[in-house]
Amino acid sequence: MITEQLVWAIFLLPVASFLLIGLVIRPMGASFAKVAGYLTIAALGVGFILSVWLLRSSAHHHMVYEFAPHLWLELGGATIEMGLLLDPLTNVMLVVVTGVSLMVQIYSMGYMDGDESFARYYAYMSLFSASMIGLVLAVNIVQMYVFWELVGLSSYLLIGFWHNRPSAAAAAKKAFVITRIGDVGFLLAIIYLFFQADEFAAHGLNALHIPHIWEAAAPIAAGGAGIVAGGALLWLCLGLFAGAVGKSGQFPLHTWLPDAMEGPTPVSALIHAATMVAAGVFLVGRFFPVFAESQAAMMVVALIGAFTAVFAATMGLAANDIKRVMAYSTVSQLGYMMAALGVGAYNAALFHLFTHAFFKALLFLGAGSVNHAAGTFNMMYMGGLRKAMPWTYWLMVIGSLSLVGIFPLAGFWSKDEILLESWLAGGPVPASISLLVFILLLVGVLLTAFYTFRMVHLTFHGEFRGGGEQELHDTEAAGEPAPTGVTHHVHLGESPLVMVVPMGILGFSAVVAGWIANPIGLSSIFGLIPSHWLTEYFASGLHDGHHAPPFNIGIAVISNVVAFAGIGLAVLAYAWPRPFVFRDPLTGAGPLHTLLAQRYFMDHLYEGVVVGRLFYRIVAGITDWVDRNIVDGIVGLTGWVSRNVGSLIALAQNGQVQTYPLVAAVGGLVIIILYLALG
């Protein structure tokens, strides 16, 4: 039986591990640091078991559990509550967050071994996991916002974990500031709902209770309250979407994600697979019934998502840092999910979020495994690692094929459903918009295949090019500062089992995760799970559940042909007819390569123009003038008046007693004269 206490335990266990590590284990010194890792793994392991049990129980009984919320605050006419919402979206996200987090924590035992801040790392990881769990469980939008910001705080701490590195500290601040820009929109949406509390209450609804917000946005004809409609509904959706754009790195707030690679690699895996960036897609999914009532909002989501999918993929073509390639890939794949939500493919978007968590976590952990051997993340100094690291190589190939969407791996099933529903154009957006989304996403498949297998060839094929030792030598010879995260340490061998085993589990998931929900029922051959199980389960959480379309062999063939074309182009460019080309063929593109390598100069725009010129010279210049001339002037005037008035009054205090009666007499005479004159 599902009880409220068991659900809260999933959240409270990592909270307890965070407190114990921070307050007890870390002060005990380095000799007890490993205990921090074991404690975090135990907390998330139990949470994962409970999450799987909750998913199985709720799916079996087709139940949505909403426990009675607990009063938190009463502010004005609004009631803010703490509670739990266990619908299909929550149940699946709990499994994803706890499962991927568990694998990352086990992997970290090997990757972070020997780090002087080992216990601090696991304290932050416990807080990060707890914050995301709290976010997906929230039943109140203010409760969600609290955990939303805790996720942002945790990412700031982990991206800047090696805070002695200026680049890491700068990346952490950049991530924090840019995501806060999006969060302003989310906060404005909450403020709007707060001021509608009385209107909601007149209909027996709580303006901050998420299921009540769904009901308020639904038109009266559909059985809803129709409280939020028209322009107000559009702006509410755009405010919520702004928060999602910041967290999920969608254009134009995507620039923080590549720099977030300054944190430890397992942190990158967790951020990009199951926690922070997934939170943006989760937010739009959580309020999908609200977005679905505004065609304009859905068009914005669809177009920004589809554009981001292609835009980020182009930048992945020119990146040489293996983790940055994966970062651009994440931004692109999140664009697929947003585009799917925009065209109304709610089930397919969340299915892709589910499968993406496994193969993207695998690819990031594989990047960390490669760095563990080569001492660098720069693919130009790798090569030839296929024989030295066979397990890592084949697992990375599996993750890459799943990312590209090759049949029959997990990524194929979820990405194919997104393409199919975009092609069918049966959603709330016009057919022309849906067709444009389909074309952009298909271009994204080609680009994804090319940059992914460019990464595979540069990293694993050809001859080894010296690793971090050679990179440091080259940068020193060029008189440039040493790149961060690069060491002389090179040991060409497989990573330890504590790193390989979690990668193996994620690799297995990257193969079979799609089979549990594929549209042609392959798993039902063995009497296991019916076709479309997961997507239909997602749909059951909506009042007007959208049913997934039947499998379309034509779209599947087209997507695979395009994917293989991208792989083939990468092979021609990097592996044939010679085993390796040291000079990247893309550098021959000249200005185009520079444009992509410089990320379309958007960092220059934001930091050089917006911050350096517009903000610093204009906004900061004006406020500096006001501070020096007006604020300081008022303060100076106050001091001058005080000094001079005090000096004037001091004249009356001359110490001559005989003058005091005279002053009193004159004062009394003045009072009498005024009384007689005015009376």
Side-chain angles (χ1 to χ4, degrees):
M1 178 181 178
I2 296 177
T3 65
E4 184 178 5
Q5 291 76 13
L6 284 176
V7 181
W8 278 116
I10 300 173
F11 164 69
L12 293 175
L13 282 169
V15 171
S17 69
F18 164 69
L19 295 174
L20 284 172
I21 294 169
L23 301 177
V24 179
I25 296 173
R26 188 162 177 253
M28 293 172 68
S31 58
F32 291 90
K34 284 292 183 73
V35 178
Y38 298 136
L39 189 60
T40 303
I41 291 169
L44 288 170
V46 175
F48 175 67
I49 293 170
L50 291 175
S51 298
V52 172
W53 176 71
L54 286 177
L55 176 61
R56 181 180 180 278
S57 298
S58 60
H60 181 70
H61 296 98
H62 300 285
M63 293 289 291
V64 173
Y65 295 88
E66 184 182 335
F67 298 101
H70 306 279
L71 179 63
W72 182 15
L73 293 172
E74 286 187 355
L75 191 61
T79 301
I80 304 175
E81 301 167 328
M82 292 281 286
L84 302 171
L85 176 60
L86 290 182
D87 67 345
L89 177 57
T90 299
N91 295 329
V92 174
M93 284 299 297
L94 282 176
V95 173
V96 170
V97 173
T98 56
V100 173
S101 295
L102 178 61
M103 294 300 104
V104 170
Q105 308 316 326
I106 295 172
Y107 176 95
S108 299
M109 292 292 289
Y111 190 86
M112 297 299 293
D113 188 23
D115 192 284
E116 60 182 10
S117 299
F118 189 89
R120 177 167 64 90
Y121 170 84
Y122 272 101
Y124 290 168
M125 285 295 234
S126 295
L127 177 63
F128 202 3
S129 300
S131 301
M132 190 65 191
I133 292 170
L135 172 66
V136 302
L137 285 172
V139 75
N140 185 285
I141 194 171
V142 175
Q143 178 188 355
M144 174 183 283
Y145 188 74
V146 169
F147 290 113
W148 180 271
E149 294 301 332
L150 278 174
V151 168
L153 170 64
S154 303
S155 66
Y156 168 79
L157 295 172
L158 285 165
I159 293 169
F161 178 76
W162 288 313
H163 47 76
N164 56 319
R165 298 179 183 173
S167 57
K173 287 185 288 185
K174 184 176 183 179
F176 192 81
V177 170
I178 291 180
T179 53
R180 296 290 78 69
I181 293 172
D183 290 353
V184 170
F186 190 7
L187 181 59
L188 289 174
I190 295 174
I191 292 173
Y192 167 76
L193 291 170
F194 173 80
F195 283 107
Q196 297 297 311
D198 291 338
E199 182 71 19
F200 274 69
H203 290 78
L205 303 175
N206 184 334
L208 303 176
H209 193 72
I210 292 173
H212 290 182
I213 299 172
W214 300 341
E215 186 176 345
I220 297 175
I227 300 172
V228 184
L233 176 62
L234 172 61
W235 285 107
L236 174 64
C237 292
L238 293 180
L240 294 170
F241 184 57
V245 166
K247 276 286 193 292
S248 289
Q250 299 295 282
F251 178 85
L253 300 181
H254 63 281
T255 55
W256 69 269
L257 257 175
D259 292 341
M261 299 303 99
E262 292 292 340
T265 300
V267 171
S268 303
L270 195 56
I271 287 176
H272 285 253
T275 50
M276 186 167 177
V277 297
V281 177
F282 173 82
L283 178 65
V284 178
R286 173 57 81 213
F287 288 96
F288 184 78
V290 179
F291 280 85
E293 300 300 335
S294 172
Q295 185 186 64
M298 294 289 275
M299 289 172 60
V300 170
V301 174
L303 291 174
I304 288 182
F307 175 77
T308 303
V310 176
F311 179 73
T314 60
M315 291 185 284
L317 298 174
N320 292 330
D321 184 303
I322 188 171
K323 286 210 299 180
R324 287 181 184 268
V325 174
M326 292 299 99
Y328 292 126
S329 171
T330 299
V331 176
S332 180
Q333 295 305 305
L334 291 168
Y336 274 84
M337 299 171 207
M338 288 296 189
L341 288 168
V343 299
Y346 172 82
N347 314 344
L350 299 179
F351 184 23
H352 196 51
L353 177 63
F354 173 75
T355 59
H356 175 264
F358 300 112
F359 60 73
K360 187 51 60 68
L362 169 62
L363 289 170
F364 268 106
L365 297 187
S369 179
V370 172
N371 169 257
H372 188 266
T376 181
F377 289 107
N378 192 333
M379 296 184 297
M380 292 302 168
Y381 292 92
M382 295 182 187
L385 298 178
R386 176 169 57 92
K387 295 179 181 179
M389 310 180 71
W391 284 102
T392 298
Y393 169 69
W394 285 111
L395 288 169
M396 287 284 279
V397 168
I398 290 172
S400 298
L401 291 171
S402 189
L403 167 63
V404 173
I406 299 299
F407 175 86
L409 302 179
F412 163 76
W413 300 107
S414 54
K415 187 178 291 187
D416 186 67
E417 290 211 13
I418 293 174
L419 292 170
L420 175 58
E421 297 216 31
S422 301
W423 170 255
L424 293 177
V429 301
S432 57
I433 298 295
S434 192
L435 180 60
L436 176 61
V437 168
F438 172 79
I439 294 171
L440 289 173
L441 296 185
L442 205 57
V443 172
V445 172
L446 179 70
L447 297 175
T448 300
F450 185 88
Y451 72 67
T452 301
F453 278 84
R454 170 182 179 265
M455 177 271 294
V456 170
H457 283 285
L458 288 177
T459 303
F460 294 102
H461 292 265
E463 299 296 328
F464 182 62
R465 299 181 291 279
E469 185 173 359
Q470 184 63 40
E471 184 176 6
L472 288 173
H473 177 270
D474 290 348
T475 53
E476 183 179 328
E480 300 174 355
T484 58
V486 179
T487 67
H488 286 284
H489 171 71
V490 175
H491 90 98
L492 296 184
E494 191 58 83
S495 297
L497 279 178
V498 72
M499 296 171 63
V500 173
V501 170
M503 290 170 58
I505 295 173
L506 290 169
F508 176 77
S509 301
V511 174
V512 304
W515 286 63
I516 68 171
N518 67 79
I520 55 177
L522 292 178
S523 57
S524 63
I525 295 173
F526 305 101
L528 299 176
I529 304 170
S531 63
H532 275 310
W533 170 81
L534 189 63
T535 50
E536 294 295 331
Y537 178 59
F538 277 128
S540 67
L542 301 176
H543 293 299
D544 52 346
H546 169 71
H547 296 286
F551 181 72
N552 188 304
I553 187 66
I555 296 297
V557 169
I558 290 172
S559 67
N560 268 262
V561 167
V562 172
F564 277 116
I567 295 173
L569 288 173
V571 171
L572 288 173
Y574 292 93
W576 187 87
R578 46 204 177 276
F580 174 69
V581 180
F582 182 74
R583 179 177 174 84
D584 190 338
L586 289 177
T587 58
L592 177 60
H593 180 268
T594 302
L595 182 67
L596 298 179
Q598 293 296 325
R599 299 181 273 184
Y600 294 94
F601 294 94
M602 291 195 67
D603 284 296
H604 298 77
L605 172 65
Y606 290 163
E607 298 175 20
V609 178
V610 176
V611 176
R613 297 181 182 179
L614 179 63
F615 181 82
Y616 180 74
R617 295 186 181 180
I618 299 178
V619 178
I622 292 173
T623 54
D624 177 62
W625 183 89
V626 170
D627 180 63
R628 285 186 289 104
N629 294 278
I630 297 179
V631 177
D632 289 352
I634 293 173
V635 173
L637 177 63
T638 303
W640 182 87
V641 170
S642 299
R643 288 194 303 272
N644 288 277
V645 170
S647 300
L648 182 64
I649 295 174
L651 295 175
Q653 300 293 329
N654 56 11
Q656 298 180 6
V657 178
Q658 61 270 27
T659 63
Y660 296 164
L662 177 62
V663 172
V666 172
L669 182 62
V670 170
I671 292 173
I672 292 171
I673 292 172
L674 291 173
Y675 178 76
L676 292 174
L678 299 175

mmCIF file of all heavy atoms in Angstrom, residues 589-617:
data_model
loop_
_atom_site.group_PDB
_atom_site.id
_atom_site.type_symbol
_atom_site.label_atom_id
_atom_site.label_comp_id
_atom_site.label_asym_id
_atom_site.label_seq_id
_atom_site.Cartn_x
_atom_site.Cartn_y
_atom_site.Cartn_z
ATOM 1 N N ALA A 589 36.421 24.956 -43.359
ATOM 2 C CA ALA A 589 35.234 25.767 -43.621
ATOM 3 C C ALA A 589 35.475 27.245 -43.362
ATOM 4 O O ALA A 589 34.611 28.073 -43.651
ATOM 5 C CB ALA A 589 34.060 25.266 -42.775
ATOM 6 N N GLY A 590 36.639 27.575 -42.797
ATOM 7 C CA GLY A 590 37.019 28.973 -42.605
ATOM 8 C C GLY A 590 36.094 29.743 -41.694
ATOM 9 O O GLY A 590 35.892 29.367 -40.525
ATOM 10 N N PRO A 591 35.502 30.845 -42.193
ATOM 11 C CA PRO A 591 34.646 31.696 -41.342
ATOM 12 C C PRO A 591 33.478 30.928 -40.712
ATOM 13 O O PRO A 591 33.086 31.235 -39.588
ATOM 14 C CB PRO A 591 34.137 32.763 -42.315
ATOM 15 C CG PRO A 591 35.158 32.796 -43.408
ATOM 16 C CD PRO A 591 35.652 31.396 -43.545
ATOM 17 N N LEU A 592 32.936 29.950 -41.430
ATOM 18 C CA LEU A 592 31.833 29.170 -40.875
ATOM 19 C C LEU A 592 32.295 28.387 -39.655
ATOM 20 O O LEU A 592 31.605 28.339 -38.629
ATOM 21 C CB LEU A 592 31.265 28.225 -41.932
ATOM 22 C CG LEU A 592 30.135 27.299 -41.465
ATOM 23 C CD1 LEU A 592 28.952 28.112 -40.959
ATOM 24 C CD2 LEU A 592 29.711 26.356 -42.577
ATOM 25 N N HIS A 593 33.477 27.771 -39.747
ATOM 26 C CA HIS A 593 34.016 27.034 -38.609
ATOM 27 C C HIS A 593 34.266 27.976 -37.441
ATOM 28 O O HIS A 593 33.986 27.646 -36.279
ATOM 29 C CB HIS A 593 35.311 26.324 -38.998
ATOM 30 C CG HIS A 593 35.927 25.554 -37.875
ATOM 31 N ND1 HIS A 593 36.880 26.106 -37.041
ATOM 32 C CD2 HIS A 593 35.721 24.286 -37.423
ATOM 33 C CE1 HIS A 593 37.238 25.219 -36.133
ATOM 34 N NE2 HIS A 593 36.549 24.111 -36.346
ATOM 35 N N THR A 594 34.789 29.160 -37.725
ATOM 36 C CA THR A 594 35.022 30.157 -36.664
ATOM 37 C C THR A 594 33.713 30.550 -36.005
ATOM 38 O O THR A 594 33.630 30.670 -34.773
ATOM 39 C CB THR A 594 35.711 31.402 -37.251
ATOM 40 O OG1 THR A 594 36.943 31.013 -37.860
ATOM 41 C CG2 THR A 594 35.981 32.429 -36.157
ATOM 42 N N LEU A 595 32.681 30.746 -36.816
ATOM 43 C CA LEU A 595 31.367 31.112 -36.280
ATOM 44 C C LEU A 595 30.848 30.042 -35.336
ATOM 45 O O LEU A 595 30.342 30.346 -34.242
ATOM 46 C CB LEU A 595 30.383 31.327 -37.433
ATOM 47 C CG LEU A 595 28.961 31.755 -37.050
ATOM 48 C CD1 LEU A 595 28.960 33.149 -36.449
ATOM 49 C CD2 LEU A 595 28.041 31.686 -38.265
ATOM 50 N N LEU A 596 30.982 28.774 -35.735
ATOM 51 C CA LEU A 596 30.493 27.679 -34.900
ATOM 52 C C LEU A 596 31.374 27.502 -33.667
ATOM 53 O O LEU A 596 30.870 27.269 -32.567
ATOM 54 C CB LEU A 596 30.451 26.384 -35.714
ATOM 55 C CG LEU A 596 29.524 26.370 -36.935
ATOM 56 C CD1 LEU A 596 29.608 25.022 -37.640
ATOM 57 C CD2 LEU A 596 28.089 26.673 -36.527
ATOM 58 N N ALA A 597 32.698 27.573 -33.859
ATOM 59 C CA ALA A 597 33.610 27.393 -32.728
ATOM 60 C C ALA A 597 33.436 28.492 -31.693
ATOM 61 O O ALA A 597 33.618 28.255 -30.487
ATOM 62 C CB ALA A 597 35.054 27.357 -33.225
ATOM 63 N N GLN A 598 33.079 29.693 -32.149
ATOM 64 C CA GLN A 598 32.852 30.812 -31.238
ATOM 65 C C GLN A 598 31.393 30.893 -30.777
ATOM 66 O O GLN A 598 30.977 31.900 -30.203
ATOM 67 C CB GLN A 598 33.245 32.130 -31.910
ATOM 68 C CG GLN A 598 34.735 32.263 -32.176
ATOM 69 C CD GLN A 598 35.558 32.285 -30.903
ATOM 70 O OE1 GLN A 598 35.143 32.820 -29.880
ATOM 71 N NE2 GLN A 598 36.736 31.681 -30.964
ATOM 72 N N ARG A 599 30.646 29.828 -31.041
ATOM 73 C CA ARG A 599 29.261 29.715 -30.561
ATOM 74 C C ARG A 599 28.400 30.897 -31.009
ATOM 75 O O ARG A 599 27.648 31.465 -30.240
ATOM 76 C CB ARG A 599 29.232 29.567 -29.042
ATOM 77 C CG ARG A 599 29.960 28.330 -28.570
ATOM 78 C CD ARG A 599 29.907 28.177 -27.082
ATOM 79 N NE ARG A 599 30.978 28.872 -26.403
ATOM 80 C CZ ARG A 599 31.206 28.826 -25.099
ATOM 81 N NH1 ARG A 599 30.435 28.113 -24.329
ATOM 82 N NH2 ARG A 599 32.188 29.501 -24.560
ATOM 83 N N TYR A 600 28.573 31.253 -32.295
ATOM 84 C CA TYR A 600 27.821 32.354 -32.898
ATOM 85 C C TYR A 600 28.074 33.687 -32.191
ATOM 86 O O TYR A 600 27.263 34.610 -32.292
ATOM 87 C CB TYR A 600 26.318 32.050 -32.915
ATOM 88 C CG TYR A 600 25.951 30.888 -33.810
ATOM 89 C CD1 TYR A 600 25.845 29.595 -33.289
ATOM 90 C CD2 TYR A 600 25.722 31.071 -35.163
ATOM 91 C CE1 TYR A 600 25.519 28.516 -34.105
ATOM 92 C CE2 TYR A 600 25.395 30.000 -35.983
ATOM 93 C CZ TYR A 600 25.295 28.726 -35.444
ATOM 94 O OH TYR A 600 24.978 27.663 -36.258
ATOM 95 N N PHE A 601 29.155 33.765 -31.449
ATOM 96 C CA PHE A 601 29.581 34.978 -30.746
ATOM 97 C C PHE A 601 28.526 35.479 -29.753
ATOM 98 O O PHE A 601 28.502 36.660 -29.411
ATOM 99 C CB PHE A 601 29.932 36.090 -31.752
ATOM 100 C CG PHE A 601 31.130 35.770 -32.597
ATOM 101 C CD1 PHE A 601 30.980 35.180 -33.852
ATOM 102 C CD2 PHE A 601 32.406 36.026 -32.135
ATOM 103 C CE1 PHE A 601 32.079 34.871 -34.634
ATOM 104 C CE2 PHE A 601 33.516 35.716 -32.915
ATOM 105 C CZ PHE A 601 33.362 35.137 -34.158
ATOM 106 N N MET A 602 27.677 34.585 -29.284
ATOM 107 C CA MET A 602 26.637 35.008 -28.346
ATOM 108 C C MET A 602 27.213 35.340 -26.974
ATOM 109 O O MET A 602 26.700 36.214 -26.274
ATOM 110 C CB MET A 602 25.543 33.941 -28.238
ATOM 111 C CG MET A 602 24.722 33.824 -29.508
ATOM 112 S SD MET A 602 23.181 32.928 -29.297
ATOM 113 C CE MET A 602 22.257 34.016 -28.225
ATOM 114 N N ASP A 603 28.287 34.653 -26.587
ATOM 115 C CA ASP A 603 28.944 35.019 -25.328
ATOM 116 C C ASP A 603 29.553 36.416 -25.439
ATOM 117 O O ASP A 603 29.523 37.196 -24.476
ATOM 118 C CB ASP A 603 30.025 33.994 -24.977
ATOM 119 C CG ASP A 603 29.441 32.704 -24.438
ATOM 120 O OD1 ASP A 603 28.814 32.748 -23.365
ATOM 121 O OD2 ASP A 603 29.590 31.655 -25.089
ATOM 122 N N HIS A 604 30.110 36.721 -26.609
ATOM 123 C CA HIS A 604 30.648 38.064 -26.823
ATOM 124 C C HIS A 604 29.527 39.096 -26.764
ATOM 125 O O HIS A 604 29.708 40.199 -26.230
ATOM 126 C CB HIS A 604 31.358 38.143 -28.177
ATOM 127 C CG HIS A 604 32.537 37.238 -28.306
ATOM 128 N ND1 HIS A 604 32.408 35.883 -28.519
ATOM 129 C CD2 HIS A 604 33.869 37.471 -28.238
ATOM 130 C CE1 HIS A 604 33.613 35.332 -28.595
ATOM 131 N NE2 HIS A 604 34.517 36.271 -28.433
ATOM 132 N N LEU A 605 28.381 38.745 -27.322
ATOM 133 C CA LEU A 605 27.234 39.652 -27.294
ATOM 134 C C LEU A 605 26.791 39.912 -25.862
ATOM 135 O O LEU A 605 26.622 41.074 -25.457
ATOM 136 C CB LEU A 605 26.085 39.057 -28.108
ATOM 137 C CG LEU A 605 24.743 39.804 -28.021
ATOM 138 C CD1 LEU A 605 24.853 41.193 -28.618
ATOM 139 C CD2 LEU A 605 23.648 39.001 -28.714
ATOM 140 N N TYR A 606 26.600 38.844 -25.100
ATOM 141 C CA TYR A 606 26.097 38.997 -23.738
ATOM 142 C C TYR A 606 27.120 39.674 -22.821
ATOM 143 O O TYR A 606 26.801 40.626 -22.105
ATOM 144 C CB TYR A 606 25.726 37.631 -23.160
ATOM 145 C CG TYR A 606 24.501 36.999 -23.785
ATOM 146 C CD1 TYR A 606 24.237 35.638 -23.626
ATOM 147 C CD2 TYR A 606 23.605 37.741 -24.532
ATOM 148 C CE1 TYR A 606 23.115 35.044 -24.199
ATOM 149 C CE2 TYR A 606 22.485 37.163 -25.112
ATOM 150 C CZ TYR A 606 22.249 35.812 -24.942
ATOM 151 O OH TYR A 606 21.142 35.232 -25.503
ATOM 152 N N GLU A 607 28.372 39.159 -22.851
ATOM 153 C CA GLU A 607 29.367 39.644 -21.907
ATOM 154 C C GLU A 607 30.038 40.933 -22.381
ATOM 155 O O GLU A 607 30.357 41.799 -21.566
ATOM 156 C CB GLU A 607 30.413 38.556 -21.664
ATOM 157 C CG GLU A 607 29.814 37.301 -21.038
ATOM 158 C CD GLU A 607 30.823 36.170 -20.898
ATOM 159 O OE1 GLU A 607 32.039 36.451 -20.917
ATOM 160 O OE2 GLU A 607 30.402 35.008 -20.788
ATOM 161 N N GLY A 608 30.265 41.050 -23.693
ATOM 162 C CA GLY A 608 30.947 42.232 -24.195
ATOM 163 C C GLY A 608 30.029 43.413 -24.434
ATOM 164 O O GLY A 608 30.339 44.545 -24.048
ATOM 165 N N VAL A 609 28.869 43.151 -25.072
ATOM 166 C CA VAL A 609 27.967 44.239 -25.439
ATOM 167 C C VAL A 609 26.940 44.514 -24.342
ATOM 168 O O VAL A 609 26.861 45.629 -23.813
ATOM 169 C CB VAL A 609 27.253 43.928 -26.777
ATOM 170 C CG1 VAL A 609 26.279 45.046 -27.137
ATOM 171 C CG2 VAL A 609 28.277 43.739 -27.888
ATOM 172 N N VAL A 610 26.159 43.475 -23.975
ATOM 173 C CA VAL A 610 25.077 43.692 -23.011
ATOM 174 C C VAL A 610 25.625 44.070 -21.641
ATOM 175 O O VAL A 610 25.218 45.072 -21.042
ATOM 176 C CB VAL A 610 24.186 42.431 -22.916
ATOM 177 C CG1 VAL A 610 23.119 42.618 -21.845
ATOM 178 C CG2 VAL A 610 23.539 42.137 -24.256
ATOM 179 N N VAL A 611 26.579 43.265 -21.137
ATOM 180 C CA VAL A 611 27.122 43.541 -19.804
ATOM 181 C C VAL A 611 28.202 44.621 -19.859
ATOM 182 O O VAL A 611 28.157 45.606 -19.121
ATOM 183 C CB VAL A 611 27.695 42.249 -19.175
ATOM 184 C CG1 VAL A 611 28.347 42.548 -17.831
ATOM 185 C CG2 VAL A 611 26.594 41.218 -19.003
ATOM 186 N N GLY A 612 29.202 44.450 -20.765
ATOM 187 C CA GLY A 612 30.338 45.354 -20.782
ATOM 188 C C GLY A 612 29.997 46.762 -21.213
ATOM 189 O O GLY A 612 30.502 47.726 -20.635
ATOM 190 N N ARG A 613 29.166 46.894 -22.248
ATOM 191 C CA ARG A 613 28.855 48.234 -22.752
ATOM 192 C C ARG A 613 27.512 48.759 -22.262
ATOM 193 O O ARG A 613 27.435 49.808 -21.635
ATOM 194 C CB ARG A 613 28.882 48.224 -24.279
ATOM 195 C CG ARG A 613 30.259 47.893 -24.852
ATOM 196 C CD ARG A 613 30.249 47.924 -26.370
ATOM 197 N NE ARG A 613 31.558 47.560 -26.907
ATOM 198 C CZ ARG A 613 31.837 47.478 -28.199
ATOM 199 N NH1 ARG A 613 30.875 47.727 -29.091
ATOM 200 N NH2 ARG A 613 33.043 47.135 -28.609
ATOM 201 N N LEU A 614 26.453 48.003 -22.550
ATOM 202 C CA LEU A 614 25.118 48.484 -22.205
ATOM 203 C C LEU A 614 24.960 48.627 -20.699
ATOM 204 O O LEU A 614 24.589 49.690 -20.197
ATOM 205 C CB LEU A 614 24.060 47.527 -22.771
ATOM 206 C CG LEU A 614 22.604 47.889 -22.463
ATOM 207 C CD1 LEU A 614 22.256 49.229 -23.088
ATOM 208 C CD2 LEU A 614 21.662 46.803 -22.973
ATOM 209 N N PHE A 615 25.275 47.543 -19.967
ATOM 210 C CA PHE A 615 25.043 47.593 -18.525
ATOM 211 C C PHE A 615 26.117 48.414 -17.817
ATOM 212 O O PHE A 615 25.828 49.337 -17.072
ATOM 213 C CB PHE A 615 25.001 46.178 -17.939
ATOM 214 C CG PHE A 615 24.736 46.144 -16.461
ATOM 215 C CD1 PHE A 615 23.442 46.243 -15.975
ATOM 216 C CD2 PHE A 615 25.778 46.043 -15.555
ATOM 217 C CE1 PHE A 615 23.198 46.223 -14.614
ATOM 218 C CE2 PHE A 615 25.542 46.023 -14.194
ATOM 219 C CZ PHE A 615 24.251 46.113 -13.723
ATOM 220 N N TYR A 616 27.402 48.059 -18.074
ATOM 221 C CA TYR A 616 28.471 48.696 -17.312
ATOM 222 C C TYR A 616 28.583 50.185 -17.638
ATOM 223 O O TYR A 616 28.644 51.032 -16.747
ATOM 224 C CB TYR A 616 29.803 47.998 -17.596
ATOM 225 C CG TYR A 616 30.965 48.597 -16.847
ATOM 226 C CD1 TYR A 616 31.128 48.380 -15.479
ATOM 227 C CD2 TYR A 616 31.887 49.396 -17.503
ATOM 228 C CE1 TYR A 616 32.181 48.940 -14.789
ATOM 229 C CE2 TYR A 616 32.952 49.963 -16.819
ATOM 230 C CZ TYR A 616 33.098 49.728 -15.463
ATOM 231 O OH TYR A 616 34.143 50.291 -14.780
ATOM 232 N N ARG A 617 28.599 50.517 -18.935
ATOM 233 C CA ARG A 617 28.816 51.910 -19.302
ATOM 234 C C ARG A 617 27.583 52.784 -19.143
ATOM 235 O O ARG A 617 27.684 53.957 -18.780
ATOM 236 C CB ARG A 617 29.307 51.990 -20.743
ATOM 237 C CG ARG A 617 30.683 51.349 -20.958
ATOM 238 C CD ARG A 617 31.172 51.580 -22.374
ATOM 239 N NE ARG A 617 32.468 50.946 -22.599
ATOM 240 C CZ ARG A 617 33.130 50.992 -23.748
ATOM 241 N NH1 ARG A 617 32.615 51.655 -24.776
ATOM 242 N NH2 ARG A 617 34.288 50.379 -23.878
#
